[in-house]
Structures are given as C-alpha cells and as structure tokens.
C-alpha cells in the first residue's frame, strides 16, 4: 500500500463523549459534598450538645450607668480561654456576626443584629488583650480584641474586630482598668 492509503486507513472518527459517565461523576460529587456538609452540621450540633452545661447568658440590667466606650465591628466567636481553636457554640456564641460593643460601669454589652445578644457583667470580666487569632479567624498581630470573661465555671475568650482597629488599645486599657478597679473594691470589702 502506498503511504497515502495507510494514512487514510488509520483515520478514525473522534470519540463520542460518554454523557452517562459524566453525569454519574457530577451526581456522585454533589452527593459527596452534601454528605460532608451534613456531617459538618451534625458536628456543630454535637458540639452545642456537649456544651449544654453552659448557663444561660446574662441580660443587661435596667440601669447600666454611663457609657465609657462604644464601637461597631465584627464578633468572630468565643472559645475556651487559652485554647484559641476550641470554639464555644452553645447559646449562639459560635455565630459570627456584626456587633455593637458598649462598655458601661455595669459591664460589656454585645448587641448582635441577626444573632443572640449577650452581656458580660463587670464582675465577670477577667482580661482584655490584643491577639492575632481566634477559632478560625487569623489576623495580623494585634488585629483582634480578645476579652476574657467568666461564665459559670468556665473562662471564655471572645474575639472582636472593630471597624476602626486603632480603637483596640483604648478598649484594652479601659477594660483592664475596670477589672483592676473592681478587684480593688472587692478586696476592700
């Protein structure tokens, strides 16, 4: 045979796409993603069940006294103090949201549109500091205001990021001064 005829004899039509296999892979992948999402949701609910011993969150008193500081920003979540990856999800503390913070003589009021508000009485505040991360949110060094407070028999770290990060130092100083004043007054009694 001549070389031209050999070339013509070897040519075949293009392979047809196997749509059944392709659709099977897409459906299988969608089911896998749905299973992973369901498992994550169940894990979140299980974590909330394990933390069911956490008492109800306090509500702000009728008279809170004068407002010392106020800011708006983001609430990034709460963790067990000192364990920045051990997220607390009970009572809505694990839900990230916008937040309005207000520091008064009575304590720290956290108003969260679309999520559960909570209040930290001044007597339960333990420390305020700047940090770089909490429960899945990592920022630059000092980019996160972390407030440590006692609730029931647990110490909790709650992380906030103000819309104006320059305010964080003022918040740390004010909260720590309030804690020092309360501890001095408690020691005098």
């Amino acid at each position: 045979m001549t070389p031209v005829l050999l070339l013509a004899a070897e040519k075949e039509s293009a392979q047809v796409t196997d749509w059944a296999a392709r659709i099977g892979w897409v459906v299988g992948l969608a089911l896998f993603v749905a299973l992973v999402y369901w498992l994550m949701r169940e894990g979140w609910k299980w974590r909330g069940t394990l933390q069911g011993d956490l008492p109800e969150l306090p509500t702000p008193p009728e008279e809170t006294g004068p407002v010392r500081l106020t800011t708006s920003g983001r609430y990034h979540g709460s963790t067990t103090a000192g364990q920045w990856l051990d997220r607390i999800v009970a009572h809505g503390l694990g839900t990230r949201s916008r937040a309005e913070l207000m520091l008064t003589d009575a304590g720290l009021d956290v108003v969260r549109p679309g999520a559960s508000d909570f209040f930290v009485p001044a007597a339960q505040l333990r420390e305020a500091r700047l940090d770089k991360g909490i429960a899945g949110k990592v920022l630059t060094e000092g980019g996160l205001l972390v407030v440590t407070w006692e609730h029931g028999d647990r110490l909790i770290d709650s992380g906030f990021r103000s819309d104006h990060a320059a305010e964080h130092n003022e918040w740390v100083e004010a909260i720590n001064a309030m804690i020092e004043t309360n501890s001095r007054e408690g020691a005098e009694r």
Side-chain angles (χ1 to χ4, degrees):
M1 287 174 94
T2 63
V4 174
L5 290 177
L6 283 174
L7 287 175
E10 293 177 9
K11 289 202 177 206
E12 296 178 14
S13 64
Q15 188 173 356
V16 178
T17 303
D18 184 6
W19 285 106
R22 197 168 277 194
I23 290 171
W25 276 103
V26 170
V27 169
L29 181 62
L31 288 173
F32 177 73
V33 168
L35 174 68
V36 168
Y37 176 78
W38 179 78
L39 288 172
M40 288 171 42
R41 186 170 172 260
E42 290 300 308
W44 186 269
K45 289 183 350 187
W46 178 250
R47 181 175 281 272
T49 302
L50 291 176
Q51 297 167 351
D53 62 334
L54 193 67
E56 286 293 322
L57 299 173
T59 57
E62 294 294 323
E63 186 58 40
T64 60
V67 175
R68 295 182 180 197
L69 287 173
T70 185
T71 191
S72 63
R74 300 244 355 128
Y75 168 77
H76 288 290
S78 292
T79 63
T80 302
Q83 298 176 11
W84 71 284
L85 290 175
D86 185 22
R87 184 186 296 269
I88 295 177
V89 301
H91 307 299
L93 288 175
T95 306
R96 290 183 180 172
S97 62
R98 292 282 305 156
E100 301 286 333
L101 299 179
M102 186 170 47
L103 184 65
T104 65
D105 290 338
L108 179 66
D109 193 10
V110 182
V111 178
R112 302 187 305 154
S116 303
D117 301 343
F118 64 95
F119 179 77
V120 180
Q124 293 177 335
L125 289 169
R126 296 296 176 255
E127 176 192 21
R129 68 182 187 282
L130 298 180
D131 212 330
K132 64 180 179 180
I134 192 165
K137 183 65 174 181
V138 179
L139 300 164
T140 59
E141 190 66 45
L144 194 67
L145 170 65
V146 177
V147 178
T148 303
W149 52 289
E150 185 176 357
H151 186 58
D153 60 348
R154 289 189 189 184
L155 283 179
I156 298 173
D157 283 343
S158 293
F160 304 94
R161 170 105 173 139
S162 173
D163 289 337
H164 308 286
E167 297 175 343
H168 288 175
N169 286 327
E170 183 180 7
W171 276 84
V172 169
E173 291 169 8
I175 291 173
N176 287 333
M178 176 187 278
I179 293 167
E180 189 176 311
T181 301
N182 287 344
S183 64
R184 252 187 283 131
E185 288 174 0
E188 291 174 2
R189 289 183 189 148

